[in-house]
């Protein structure tokens, strides 16, 4: 029987084999823990993180509402850095709940993916 972590790692490797971030269109990767959510804009060619945002310090609202605030924050940081298009990497997580809230808020904030 395959564990939840092994299943996610298998999906993650399959996704990462297909997508890659560049300086013009970085990879927006999401990490979701039980309490927090983190997002980074990564240039895989240079191996650098261009912008990052997390839910640390945000405590008001449900987890999905907090994820939406993080999505808005990463969109603002990306636009300030001159980035308008990204490649979305859900990092093996299903696209619903907190991950979907973050992605929708980033789209509403001006990012295209």
């Amino acid at each position: 029987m395959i564990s939840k972590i092994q299943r996610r790692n298998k999906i993650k490797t399959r996704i990462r084999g297909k997508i890659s971030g560049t300086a013009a269109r970085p990879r927006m990767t999401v990490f979701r823990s039980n309490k927090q959510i983190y997002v980074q804009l990564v240039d895989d060619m240079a191996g650098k993180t261009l912008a990052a945002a997390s839910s640390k310090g945000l405590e008001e609202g449900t987890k999905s509402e907090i994820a939406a605030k993080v999505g808005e924050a990463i969109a603002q940081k990306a636009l300030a850095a001159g980035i308008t298009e990204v490649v979305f990497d859900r990092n093996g997580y299903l696209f619903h709940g907190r991950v979907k809230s973050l992605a929708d808020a980033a789209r509403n904030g001006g990012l295209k993916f």
Side-chain angles (χ1 to χ4, degrees):
M1 181 151 195
I2 191 166
S3 75
K4 187 191 301 188
I5 295 171
Q6 289 171 330
R7 178 185 166 279
R8 189 178 141 260
N9 283 335
K10 189 175 175 183
I11 295 169
K12 183 177 171 178
T13 358
R14 186 170 55 235
I15 292 169
R16 285 290 286 118
K18 296 176 186 174
I19 64 173
S20 178
T22 62
R25 193 169 176 186
R27 178 171 54 97
M28 185 167 101
T29 183
V30 176
F31 177 74
R32 176 177 65 90
S33 71
N34 285 337
K35 293 185 178 182
Q36 307 292 337
I37 191 159
Y38 309 87
V39 62
Q40 292 180 332
L41 297 179
V42 180
D43 176 7
D44 289 319
M45 301 300 219
K48 291 188 177 183
T49 299
L50 305 175
S54 74
S55 62
K56 293 225 179 211
L58 300 175
E59 297 175 6
E60 294 292 322
T62 64
K63 290 180 182 179
S64 292
E65 292 168 353
I66 291 172
K69 290 178 186 175
V70 174
E72 293 169 5
I74 196 66
Q76 290 174 355
K77 288 182 179 183
L79 293 176
I83 300 166
T84 56
E85 291 189 4
V86 296
V87 179
F88 189 69
D89 178 9
R90 60 188 173 90
N91 211 5
Y93 301 110
L94 297 177
F95 190 77
H96 70 94
R98 289 189 277 165
V99 176
K100 187 175 190 298
S101 296
L102 187 141
D104 290 343
R107 279 192 188 110
N108 292 337
L111 289 180
K112 294 180 184 137
F113 53 95

